[in-house]
Amino acid sequence: MTCVDHQRRNMASRGKSETGKLKQNMEEQLDRLMQQLQDLEECREDLDDEEYEETKKETLEQLSEFNESLKKMVTGNMTLVDELGGMQLAIQAAISQAFKTPEVIRMFAKKQPGQLRTRLAEMDRDVRVGKLLKDVYTQQKVEIFTALRKLGEKLTPEDEAFLAENMTATLSQFEKVTADLGSEDKIMALASSGVEKTKA
């Protein structure tokens, strides 16, 4: 191995390590905001309407700021687009309130289709034994199916039919707006890096 090869390998390894640290940092920030939303929902009955709405609004504003910093970070960086693209989609789902379940948003952001399917199986069981209200079950199931589809997972025809039948207006809008977001972001990032190379 030549010195140049060794340097390149070290640089690639360092870049990967920095991306990993950055991703972990972003996930920790997202976890904190999702926990705030979850705590808020769990304390809903202890708060008056004004207090609840105000706190929720503040958390959503923090999510918007987080999303803006994420956008700036991934611009022109293909590795980060791939790593954090799912997180961007999940945050937009939360901000638009297309998704209302913090745990589902968290799994979506971390690209965890396996855990989303596990949660779905638990919900199927809970609704059968009466531990989960039917309308809450339907809302969360639609969120999970939408997240799975956005993560490139195949849905069964039955799942697709359930999704079409129970899709809310907000979720439908989110679907339309983000239909080609991943590819657009990648094209823009590619274009940006191309421009930088041309300048160089």
Side-chain angles (χ1 to χ4, degrees):
M1 185 188 289
T2 67
C3 283
V4 173
D5 287 337
H6 188 66
Q7 278 180 325
R8 278 182 186 151
R9 186 169 284 190
N10 277 349
M11 281 171 71
S13 173
R14 199 179 307 129
K16 205 170 183 182
S17 167
E18 282 169 10
T19 300
K21 281 180 193 165
L22 188 61
K23 187 184 176 191
Q24 187 183 351
N25 182 20
M26 293 288 105
E27 285 181 351
E28 282 169 5
Q29 283 190 58
L30 183 68
D31 278 343
R32 182 178 55 78
L33 290 167
M34 288 302 105
Q35 194 58 52
Q36 272 179 230
L37 275 179
Q38 202 160 332
D39 291 346
L40 181 62
E41 293 307 322
E42 284 168 8
C43 301
R44 176 77 179 92
E45 289 176 15
D46 301 330
L47 304 169
D48 61 43
D49 288 347
E50 193 177 334
E51 201 175 4
Y52 169 81
E53 291 301 335
E54 189 59 37
T55 311
K56 187 164 188 174
K57 188 181 166 200
E58 281 172 15
T59 306
L60 291 174
E61 280 170 4
Q62 286 173 40
L63 265 175
S64 292
E65 286 165 16
F66 179 52
N67 194 37
E68 283 306 311
S69 63
L70 202 55
K71 271 185 200 169
K72 285 175 190 165
M73 212 174 286
V74 302
T75 302
N77 188 323
M78 287 304 293
T79 308
L80 285 179
V81 169
D82 287 337
E83 290 286 341
L84 302 175
M87 191 180 287
Q88 276 188 287
L89 277 178
I91 292 167
Q92 282 167 349
I95 293 166
S96 66
Q97 297 191 57
F99 281 37
K100 298 178 188 295
T101 316
E103 198 53 40
V104 174
I105 298 165
R106 190 184 279 135
M107 290 175 194
F108 182 10
K110 291 183 180 181
K111 296 185 178 177
Q112 296 173 327
Q115 286 180 248
L116 284 165
R117 290 190 185 278
T118 300
R119 182 179 174 92
L120 191 56
E122 289 168 359
M123 283 163 43
D124 286 340
R125 187 190 60 228
D126 287 349
V127 80
R128 275 199 300 271
V129 298
K131 271 176 73 179
L132 190 64
L133 292 172
K134 183 76 175 164
D135 56 347
V136 175
Y137 167 78
T138 300
Q139 177 200 313
Q140 292 191 14
K141 192 170 179 175
V142 167
E143 288 178 20
I144 288 173
F145 283 158
T146 305
L148 287 170
R149 197 154 72 176
K150 289 289 177 192
L151 292 173
E153 294 287 303
K154 286 275 180 217
L155 298 183
T156 66
E158 290 84 359
D159 295 346
E160 290 282 5
F162 181 90
L163 192 53
E165 194 179 323
N166 295 285
M167 180 81 76
T168 63
T170 315
L171 254 177
S172 179
Q173 184 63 23
F174 170 73
E175 274 274 273
K176 280 178 197 159
V177 169
T178 61
D180 299 308
L181 194 65
S183 56
E184 277 175 25
D185 275 357
K186 286 177 183 176
I187 290 162
M188 287 304 291
L190 209 52
S192 301
S193 61
V195 169
E196 292 304 319
K197 279 176 192 164
T198 309
K199 283 180 187 168

